[in-house]
Amino acid sequence: MNCIWQRRLGLFRTAAMAGATLLCCRDYDRFRASIAVRVPEPLPDSLWLTCPVLFDLYSQHLPFSNKSGIVALYSYRVSPVPSFDVTKEVSGAVDDKSKPSDYFGKDTIANAAAKVGPAVVNIAVHQDFFGIASGESIGSGTIINKDGTILTSAHVVVDFLGTKGSSKGKIEVTLQDGRTFEGKVVNADLHSDIAIVKINSETPLPEAKLGSSSRLRPGDWVIAVGCPLSLQNTVTAGIVSCVDRKSSDLGFSDTPREYLQTDCAINMGNSGGPLVNMDGEIIGVNMMKVAAADGLSFSVPIDSVCKILEHFKRNGRVIRPWLGLKMLDLNEMIIAQLKKKDDSFPNVTKGILVPMVTPRSPAERAGFCPGDVVIEFDGKPVERLKEVIEILGDKVGVPVKVVVKRRGDKLVTLTVIPEEANLDI
């Protein structure tokens, strides 16, 4: 396939060979174009190769140009076949309706930052000890409701004694436009590190939209917005490195949690700020980074945050049921290893292994044994610990039926009554 487009004295040529696309130009005039090309059979699946050409194509200003002025535009994106016809956008004319949904242009990151930016705030907590100024805690937050509700990190605004928190001091919230307000901590949860701060304004405030973290994939573009070192309105870009980094991987042995891992640059003061997708939606709350490494940053997924906010609204705090079980997600490789070590291991293809039962716990009283494989929880088939946590919700004192498979493929139905976790222990 060879497609040629001419403009004035210039030449724009695209050639596709064996599934690869090369775009070249030889022109000293300015133009903007984006061309989407359908690659026909014999490829197994027709693909769209979308390459936005959004440069001023002066070859002397671009890298990888030779003496003849030929410039290779080596970046392209592969996406599923859309339902519309091939379109060409010339001279900056853009038709949003005809553009693929995963279109990535020169303004994509800037547009995402512009959408969320006005709702991102700087949070400064002035601390004192018996009237003597002792320091200042700095962080970021995002207005998620026009009434002044701000989502941030608990460690930015609260000092915790056990699980009970108190404000670190006077909270000063500064908006992107320079306005300042006094904030008040409404809710805070130590173990998720999520807090809600409220400010009062006579006029509606800018708000950011909450997205979803469930559809994120490693490699997706994201931006971190916040106030590192009190440098307000700072935007950094990167990709999602891992969508389900376990808290145990980071050395946290208490309540199991999952984080989004990114390579966005975040520093002191970014805590509580939003992690944002290319639609300008919040998909995480930035929490921490690895001090001894670059490109290792972690955020609480927004789907988890939304559940915490539901707890805040319903109970004023987060209620966590406790069973007293250590649980491990099974896959084919783990099952094969366990069967190799012990022929009597249950014949399962999926499920959740119970390697340990806490003494004097609800699980022990219900009759759980080490080696049990949980295959059904509260009447629903389960494959991952995350599903068990979602089913439990805030059920405390409510009997739950659990089906397990034991050595010799024996099916047993147990009834466990969750207790509220005592996280002070």
Side-chain angles (χ1 to χ4, degrees):
M1 180 275 295
N2 191 29
C3 177
I4 301 176
W5 173 65
Q6 285 186 303
R7 180 184 179 275
R8 296 181 184 173
L9 299 176
L11 177 68
F12 186 93
R13 183 186 300 260
T14 176
M17 298 177 62
T21 298
L22 175 66
L23 298 183
C24 299
C25 74
R26 185 173 184 178
D27 194 352
Y28 292 95
D29 199 0
R30 294 172 179 255
F31 70 90
R32 291 161 62 96
S34 179
I35 295 182
V37 182
R38 184 188 295 275
V39 180
E41 298 294 333
L43 290 180
D45 297 305
S46 293
L47 301 177
W48 278 77
L49 303 185
T50 303
C51 181
V53 183
L54 300 170
F55 304 99
D56 289 329
L57 293 178
Y58 284 102
S59 61
Q60 63 268 32
H61 295 155
L62 292 174
F64 310 111
S65 60
N66 58 26
K67 294 181 180 179
S68 65
I70 303 288
V71 182
L73 305 177
Y74 52 90
S75 176
Y76 65 89
R77 182 181 182 90
V78 179
S79 58
V81 180
S83 59
F84 48 83
D85 294 332
V86 176
T87 60
K88 297 183 180 181
E89 300 157 11
V90 182
S91 300
V94 177
D95 180 2
D96 289 329
K97 293 181 180 179
S98 66
K99 193 182 296 182
S101 60
D102 58 357
Y103 176 85
F104 194 99
K106 71 169 186 177
D107 295 326
T108 301
I109 290 177
N111 289 342
K115 285 182 181 179
V116 75
V120 179
V121 301
N122 173 250
I123 298 176
V125 183
H126 305 285
Q127 299 169 294
D128 61 75
F129 183 73
F130 292 105
I132 301 174
S134 60
E136 184 179 75
S137 174
I138 59 172
S140 305
T142 313
I143 302 172
I144 57 173
N145 192 299
K146 292 180 180 180
D147 67 359
T149 301
I150 297 172
L151 175 64
T152 187
S153 292
H155 73 262
V156 172
V157 295
V158 172
D159 276 324
F160 280 93
L161 184 60
T163 57
K164 306 208 180 281
S166 61
S167 176
K168 287 184 175 181
K170 182 180 178 181
I171 300 173
E172 184 179 89
V173 177
T174 304
L175 273 60
Q176 189 185 59
D177 59 17
R179 287 182 290 169
T180 60
F181 299 87
E182 184 172 346
K184 178 183 178 182
V185 178
V186 178
N187 296 103
D189 180 62
L190 168 65
H191 290 274
S192 63
D193 201 12
I194 293 296
I196 292 295
V197 172
K198 184 74 166 56
I199 60 175
N200 295 315
S201 173
E202 295 179 355
T203 58
L205 296 168
E207 64 179 348
K209 182 180 179 182
L210 301 183
S212 173
S213 52
S214 62
R215 296 190 299 272
L216 286 175
R217 300 175 300 166
D220 280 345
W221 281 96
V222 288
I223 58 173
V225 188
C227 312
L229 305 177
S230 294
L231 300 173
Q232 197 149 352
N233 310 331
T234 297
V235 179
T236 60
I239 62 168
V240 175
S241 306
C242 178
V243 297
D244 54 358
R245 178 63 63 204
K246 303 290 189 295
S247 55
S248 57
D249 295 341
L250 304 177
F252 303 138
S253 58
D254 54 0
T255 306
R257 297 182 299 277
E258 290 185 349
Y259 294 96
L260 299 175
Q261 179 183 327
T262 77
D263 67 351
C264 290
I266 67 171
N267 293 282
M268 183 182 298
N270 271 114
S271 289
L275 188 69
V276 181
N277 63 19
M278 293 299 97
D279 293 322
E281 300 169 336
I282 303 175
I283 46 90
V285 177
N286 297 320
M287 287 294 164
M288 56 190 170
K289 62 170 289 187
V290 176
D294 293 324
L296 288 175
S297 305
F298 302 93
S299 308
V300 179
I302 199 63
D303 291 357
S304 299
V305 173
C306 288
K307 292 174 184 176
I308 292 166
L309 298 183
E310 290 175 6
H311 278 270
F312 285 162
K313 290 179 181 178
R314 189 164 55 244
N315 308 308
R317 61 191 177 90
V318 179
I319 296 177
R320 293 181 172 87
W322 177 63
L323 299 178
L325 291 173
K326 186 176 180 64
M327 305 178 85
L328 173 68
D329 295 345
L330 292 176
N331 58 39
E332 291 182 0
M333 296 300 296
I334 295 176
I335 292 171
Q337 287 182 337
L338 293 172
K339 290 286 287 183
K340 188 174 181 180
K341 291 180 179 179
D342 185 354
D343 291 338
S344 65
F345 186 80
N347 288 310
V348 294
T349 57
K350 55 189 177 182
I352 309 164
L353 176 66
V354 176
M356 187 183 78
V357 180
T358 303
R360 298 180 298 279
S361 67
E364 186 186 57
R365 290 193 290 272
F368 281 89
C369 299
D372 285 350
V373 176
V374 178
I375 59 175
E376 190 176 296
F377 198 91
D378 199 23
K380 301 178 182 67
V382 290
E383 300 178 24
R384 302 183 63 194
L385 174 58
K386 181 189 289 187
E387 297 169 343
V388 172
I389 295 173
E390 289 176 354
I391 293 170
L392 270 177
D394 58 359
K395 295 176 183 174
V396 172
V398 180
V400 178
K401 290 191 178 298
V402 183
V403 178
V404 301
K405 204 168 191 180
R406 290 181 171 164
R407 286 180 172 83
D409 293 333
K410 183 180 179 182
L411 285 175
V412 179
T413 300
L414 306 172
T415 300
V416 61
I417 302 176
E419 298 176 0
E420 184 170 358
N422 184 358
L423 299 176
D424 286 333
I425 299 177

